[in-house]
């Protein structure tokens, strides 16, 4: 998929917001991309985890057309000029990517959004965008310090880049697994 096919402006690309996950926009470009989008929902109760895993299996077999929900065009979360600048910064600092999943925070009192940048349907980077640019710069510095210290008892995502656009700060980290993880039930973890 060419970079020109990315959702640059509102309405540019078809996608779906699954029932119960209206805050997540999932591209309909392919099976892996749709499963990566479903992984953005943090299901943790056993029934929710089972339903999420079953939906992912159905998508891998039949394609994203089986996703129940409202098909919609992409709506950029920022004004067109700021959104274009953000995309340009991500391309230059994170690398080549060809699709994305958009996550709006469902809590009305929280602002910002997150994007999972995809390459060939697999996660390349997870980007959090917030109106607190100072927070993302501080978080990036702390994460770099943690990686420089090479801790043995825990792991955090590798910080890739950070920047600002129109008063918003963004922080890109390496993508985690792009399949539903579910709740961890082992006490030692």
């Amino acid at each position: 998929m060419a970079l020109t096919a990315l959702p640059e402006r509102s309405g540019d690309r078809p996608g779906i917001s699954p029932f119960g996950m209206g805050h997540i926009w999932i591209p309909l470009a392919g099976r892996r991309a749709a499963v990566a989008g479903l992984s953005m929902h943090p299901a943790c109760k056993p029934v929710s985890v089972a339903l999420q895993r079953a939906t992912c299996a159905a998508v891998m077999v039949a394609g994203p057309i089986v996703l129940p929900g409202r098909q919609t065009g992409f709506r950029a979360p920022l004004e067109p000029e700021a959104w274009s600048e953000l995309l340009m910064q991500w391309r230059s600092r994170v690398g080549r990517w060809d699709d994305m999943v958009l996550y709006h925070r469902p809590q009305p009192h929280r602002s910002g959004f997150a994007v999972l940048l995809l390459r060939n349907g697999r996660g390349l980077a997870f980007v959090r965008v917030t109106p607190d640019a100072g927070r993302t710069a501080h978080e990036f510095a702390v994460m770099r310090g943690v990686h420089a210290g090479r801790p043995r008892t825990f792991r955090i995502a590798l910080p890739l880049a950070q920047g600002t656009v129109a008063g918003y700060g963004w922080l890109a980290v390496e993508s985690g697994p792009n399949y539903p993880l579910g709740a961890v039930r082992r006490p030692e973890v």
Side-chain angles (χ1 to χ4, degrees):
M1 181 180 316
L3 285 176
T4 57
L6 286 170
E8 302 253 353
R9 294 173 302 276
S10 295
D12 272 1
R13 295 272 317 265
I16 192 165
S17 290
F19 293 131
M21 293 190 283
H23 59 288
I24 302 173
W25 181 87
I26 298 173
L28 294 175
R31 296 169 193 218
R32 281 192 214 145
V35 168
L38 290 170
S39 76
M40 295 284 281
H41 175 69
C44 58
K45 295 182 179 178
V47 172
S48 298
V49 171
L51 286 172
Q52 188 179 35
R53 289 179 178 166
T55 303
C56 287
V59 167
M60 288 307 290
V61 170
I65 197 70
V66 301
L67 287 174
R70 180 176 49 92
Q71 288 197 20
T72 179
F74 178 82
R75 287 188 305 260
L78 296 175
E79 294 298 319
E81 287 180 16
W83 182 246
S84 292
E85 174 65 24
L86 199 55
L87 294 177
M88 187 177 73
Q89 286 186 21
W90 292 344
R91 286 181 187 127
S92 69
R93 310 224 355 243
V94 174
R96 184 187 66 78
W97 43 276
D98 53 27
D99 217 338
M100 68 173 68
V101 176
L102 177 62
Y103 177 95
H104 290 279
R105 292 181 170 177
Q107 304 89 350
H109 64 281
R110 296 185 72 191
S111 57
F113 59 93
V115 173
L116 178 60
L117 300 176
L118 304 171
R119 182 185 297 155
N120 299 322
R122 298 188 191 278
L124 173 66
F126 177 80
V127 185
R128 189 173 47 84
V129 182
T130 177
D132 188 349
R135 179 179 175 186
T136 56
H138 178 73
E139 190 174 342
F140 183 71
V142 168
M143 291 177 80
R144 287 181 58 171
V146 168
H147 271 276
R150 293 189 170 90
R152 293 185 211 177
T153 56
F154 66 94
R155 184 179 183 282
I156 63 171
L158 175 68
L160 301 174
Q162 66 87 212
T164 60
V165 169
Y168 283 81
W170 60 268
L171 170 65
V173 298
E174 69 181 335
S175 176
N178 301 131
Y179 52 85
L181 297 174
V184 176
R185 304 266 183 237
R186 295 189 331 242
E188 65 274 11
V189 175

